[in-house]
Each structure stands twice: as C-alpha cells, then as structure tokens.
Amino acid sequence: QERLLAEARERFAQGFLFEPATGSALEALLEARRLEPDHPEIGPAFAELERAIQAVAEDALARADWARAAAAIGALSRSGAPSGMLESLRAELQYRQTQEAYLTEVAPANELNITRLEPPVYPDRAVVRGTEGWVDLQFVVDRQGLPRDIVVTAAEPVGEFEAAALEATESYVFEPFVLDGQLYERRVAIRMRFTLE
C-alpha cells in the first residue's frame, strides 16, 4: 500500500497523471484503492489527481486537442471523479467539437433567419455600362448574429461589384443560431446578384 502511494506521488510529480496506462499515478492509485479502499491517504490523493487531470482536460479543450481532452475525461471517469465534473467536461467537449464543425463546414446563408437586410448599392459605373453580375461571399455569423471575417470567394465580372457586396453584407443582422439551448457561430456562404431592372 505504501509502495503504491509512493509510486503514485512520484508519477504525479513526473507528470505521468494518467498515461502511460501501466505506469501512471492513476493506475497506482486505482490499485492502492483496490487493495485498501479505506486507507486515509486514498481520498486526498485522488482529489489532488482529479484536479490535475481536470486541468489537463481544460487545457486540451482550450487548445482544441479533442483526443487529449477525451483521454483526460476518460481518466477522470476511471478514477470515479464527481459526476458533475464529468458531465461538465463532456458537455464542453461536445460543444467545442460542434462549434468547430460549424466553423469548418460552409452552409447556405438562407439556413439562418436574417432580421436586417440592406440591399447593396449598385455601382454607378455598372449602371452606366449596363453591367450585371454576382459576388460569392463567405463569412461567420457570430453569437450576436453579426457577420465577421467576410471574404469574397468569386465574382463575375471581377472587380465590379465586390466592394458593394462587402458593404451590404457588413450591415446584415441574423437571428443567432441556437441548437439544444446553445449559441453557435456559423460559417455561411451567399451569392449576391446584381441585376438591372
């Protein structure tokens, strides 16, 4: 028992909290608890280890290292960490992975409800020439429903309508995107057409 606790402390100090599987602080403590669950040092040792593993999970979440976060959460589950801690970390992992997917995948802007739409100002030179065309844009709708990171991805004719399209898009306001009670940012695409009547 004392040897296992000493090994757990040493592994903890070395940073081997839950990896490798056969030589970690977690494994030593699990074995110590199996042998003598009521040992007075077991509870405090697990509490300290769980706080450290929780910090690893939170750091991994902040860095978008989903595999590391999941491994840390799995280690906490094996340790018998409080269910509230586990549920919170699992929910945060799920939220962040979903948010990453929404920022990676481009959806049509019409999947979101727009609440304010200012039509673009038709460029004077295009009116004089009778030019028509379109501009493709991508942008992120933030949690307040406002566009950010607006970029032109294509235009026809090139150099004619891009400035007007960008200016109009900056004025848009969308209903914030909510899924299962959570606010998410969404990457969307839109084609803005310029036609003369």
Side-chain angles (χ1 to χ4, degrees), residues 5 24 29 41 50 59 88 93 100 102 125 128 138 144 150 154 169 172 175 187:
L5 288 168
S24 66
L29 282 180
E41 292 184 40
E50 287 165 357
D59 178 66
S88 175
L93 175 59
E100 181 182 68
Y102 281 138
R125 67 181 181 208
V128 170
Q138 278 188 23
Q144 287 74 46
I150 307 166
T169 304
Y172 288 2
E175 284 182 15
R187 183 172 299 280

Side-chain angles (χ1 to χ4, degrees), residues 31-143:
E31 180 63 12
R33 184 167 64 189
R34 186 185 69 76
L35 293 173
E36 190 179 344
D38 298 326
H39 191 286
E41 292 184 40
I42 293 290
F46 265 105
E48 183 181 13
L49 180 62
E50 287 165 357
R51 283 192 298 272
I53 296 174
Q54 180 182 11
V56 169
E58 290 169 349
D59 178 66
L61 288 169
R63 292 182 293 104
D65 185 345
W66 311 136
R68 180 80 170 152
I73 294 167
L76 285 169
S77 179
R78 291 185 61 227
S79 78
S83 60
M85 176 194 296
L86 287 169
E87 289 169 14
S88 175
L89 288 169
R90 286 177 179 139
E92 186 67 16
L93 175 59
Q94 178 65 42
Y95 173 81
R96 288 180 183 249
Q97 287 177 312
T98 303
Q99 179 60 91
E100 181 182 68
Y102 281 138
L103 291 176
T104 303
E105 300 162 9
V106 182
N110 63 9
E111 286 190 8
L112 301 179
N113 295 323
I114 192 160
T115 59
R116 189 175 80 197
L117 172 66
E118 294 291 331
V121 176
Y122 216 101
D124 290 338
R125 67 181 181 208
V127 173
V128 170
R129 295 179 189 156
T131 305
E132 296 185 335
W134 50 264
V135 179
D136 285 344
L137 304 113
Q138 278 188 23
F139 53 93
V140 173
V141 177
D142 70 16
R143 290 179 184 88

